[in-house]
Amino acid sequence: LNSELLEARRREKDFLLRWKEEGFDVAYNSYVVPNQEHTAEMKATLKELSALAPVLDRIAISDYSRGQYDSDIATLSQGVVTYEDAFASTVSLTQQRGFVDTGLEGDFRIAVQAIEAKIYDREGLEPLVITMRQIRREKDYLLRGNQQYVDNVHDLVAQLKSEVTTSELLEPAEKTEIKALADTYLTKFDGLVEKDREIADSIEVFRGAAANVQTVTERLEAAGEQLATQDVQTAQANSTQTF
């Protein structure tokens, strides 16, 4: 059980580290699918462990009862399911978030590029271009994840819309379109920020579940060692009596 957990965790970490570099689909097949296979093996192992519960009805060991064993198996089963579900949620949220030209990140880049196409290289719109370049420092958030960069983007988008409204070089239809694109950009950017928060929460859940599984597994292992020691002692006593 510990071995399968370690292998599952290794694939999980590989996915989180490499999906941006390798692409979501490749990383999914390379790491998520094997992770699922190891999780399935963990469930199969738990079924085998459940079948061993009657041993504790005929062989008593100190500080560990049949009831405790049953409770531990139930805790492990729930822990594995929680780990599996939370990691699957992380993977799904990661896909929705996207990267560069996919998901929410791809969507807000499309919107911002459409704004740039309408204001760049036009005489008299230099103030809008400067504001737009400041907005593009959303890269600071993508690199560091700090709330201050999110707040900066909000302030700058409001500034851009104000500049568009007061511009005498833009037609009314252009103003309406640019402000609509700015709203789309901000909506998609905020969606990405929220996805990052959900991903962080989901990661915390599956990491906690994995740690709990490992702790309970170690307790089972200690109980198994006591049973093994008693088996050896019983065998030795029987051998001596037979002799």
Side-chain angles (χ1 to χ4, degrees):
L1 189 61
N2 263 330
S3 176
E4 294 297 339
L5 176 62
L6 290 172
E7 288 297 324
R9 298 230 58 200
R10 185 160 71 89
R11 300 301 192 277
E12 150 229 311
K13 291 172 183 175
D14 286 340
F15 172 79
L16 294 175
L17 285 172
R18 300 175 181 174
W19 76 271
K20 291 182 179 179
E21 176 186 346
E22 298 181 5
F24 180 86
D25 291 339
V26 171
Y28 186 94
N29 290 323
S30 298
Y31 311 117
V32 177
V33 171
N35 172 278
Q36 293 169 342
E37 292 170 351
H38 290 300
T39 303
E41 287 297 324
M42 290 168 68
K43 290 180 176 179
T45 299
L46 282 168
K47 287 183 179 179
E48 294 179 22
L49 287 170
S50 296
L52 297 176
V55 171
L56 289 164
D57 287 333
R58 60 182 177 81
I59 303 177
I61 58 176
S62 61
D63 301 324
Y64 202 77
S65 65
R66 165 73 184 269
Q68 181 63 60
Y69 185 81
D70 289 338
S71 176
D72 282 346
I73 293 298
T75 298
L76 284 170
S77 297
Q78 183 57 54
V80 170
V81 169
T82 299
Y83 171 83
E84 180 181 41
D85 290 347
F87 182 59
S89 176
T90 300
V91 172
S92 176
L93 290 167
T94 297
Q95 185 178 31
Q96 294 169 39
R97 181 205 186 279
F99 181 63
V100 182
D101 58 355
T102 65
L104 289 165
E105 185 168 339
D107 289 343
F108 82 63
R109 290 182 188 277
I110 290 172
V112 84
Q113 288 165 2
I115 297 173
E116 291 171 340
K118 292 185 176 300
I119 64 175
Y120 278 27
D121 300 323
R122 289 181 62 176
E123 188 175 351
L125 294 184
E126 290 81 3
L128 276 71
V129 172
I130 292 172
T131 303
M132 196 70 245
R133 286 175 176 166
Q134 290 175 315
I135 290 173
R136 293 315 314 270
R137 292 191 64 185
E138 89 261 326
K139 298 179 182 68
D140 291 334
Y141 167 77
L142 297 177
L143 286 171
R144 300 177 181 88
N146 293 342
Q147 181 61 38
Q148 71 181 77
Y149 301 119
V150 177
D151 296 338
N152 288 344
V153 168
H154 275 258
D155 292 341
L156 289 165
V157 168
Q159 179 180 328
L160 177 72
K161 290 171 69 176
S162 177
E163 291 171 348
V164 168
T165 299
T166 58
S167 174
E168 297 180 355
L169 300 174
L170 293 169
E171 297 295 329
E174 289 181 304
K175 293 181 179 182
T176 300
E177 187 175 2
I178 292 172
K179 287 191 286 186
L181 287 169
D183 288 337
T184 298
Y185 164 81
L186 196 58
T187 297
K188 299 298 183 181
F189 177 73
D190 285 344
L192 179 141
V193 172
E194 181 58 31
K195 281 290 178 290
D196 282 342
R197 291 174 182 148
E198 292 176 14
I199 289 169
D201 290 342
S202 188
I203 288 174
E204 186 175 351
V205 170
F206 75 64
R207 284 178 176 169
N212 193 38
V213 167
Q214 187 168 14
T215 298
V216 178
T217 301
E218 289 170 357
R219 185 160 63 238
L220 285 187
E221 184 179 1
E225 288 174 352
Q226 289 187 57
L227 286 170
T229 299
Q230 287 192 17
D231 279 349
V232 170
Q233 291 172 345
T234 299
Q236 290 175 335
N238 289 340
S239 177
T240 299
Q241 186 176 12
T242 300
F243 179 76

